[in-house]
Amino acid sequence: MGNKMTPLERISVYVHVAIHYGLEEAIFLDSIVFWYKENKANDRNFRDGRWWTFNSVGAFEELFPWWSGKQIRRIVNSCRDKGAILVGNYNSDRRDRTVWYTPSDELLALYGLSQPGTCICPNGQMQK
């Protein structure tokens, strides 16, 4: 069957994220991390030392048709309030209310990723 994952295998990949933030948040955060990695690999949307992705609530409704716009806003706010994502606005038009998202360092660590220039060791050295 190739390298495709079954839905249960995919869910098990982010169980640790669901335990930390909640199931709905983990599903949403997985898409944010996916686009973070895509943008990093393609050197897109790098602002203030981080790779960002952006979407409107309407676009998220298309990605997650089982959630309403109100539910998506609640999940996004929950992720932000729990420190899983950072939210910004890098739109060239000040009237554009599209929100930009990037995973927090804590979320990246849960995925085994790290943000450039960050180190979990205070003195920058790994312990042996």
Side-chain angles (χ1 to χ4, degrees), residues 11-77:
I11 289 171
S12 71
V13 168
Y14 54 78
V15 163
H16 61 292
V17 177
I19 289 168
H20 200 77
Y21 298 113
L23 180 59
E24 290 178 321
E25 289 84 351
I27 293 167
F28 175 79
L29 292 169
D30 194 62
S31 74
I32 298 299
V33 170
F34 170 83
W35 285 108
Y36 166 88
K37 291 191 298 187
E38 284 287 310
N39 288 338
K40 182 178 178 182
N42 293 294
D43 200 21
R44 281 190 308 243
N45 299 333
F46 189 74
R47 309 281 194 284
D48 295 330
R50 304 183 82 86
W51 283 275
W52 297 76
T53 188
F54 55 88
N55 244 336
S56 65
V57 171
F60 280 131
E61 284 180 292
E62 289 185 32
L63 289 172
F64 306 111
W66 55 88
W67 289 330
S68 68
K70 184 176 179 179
Q71 288 171 307
I72 291 167
R73 280 188 283 283
R74 177 185 52 76
I75 293 164
V76 168
N77 288 336

Side-chain angles (χ1 to χ4, degrees), residues 108-121:
L108 290 172
L110 286 174
Y111 273 85
L113 303 169
S114 65
Q115 183 65 27
T118 61
C119 180
I120 59 172
C121 302

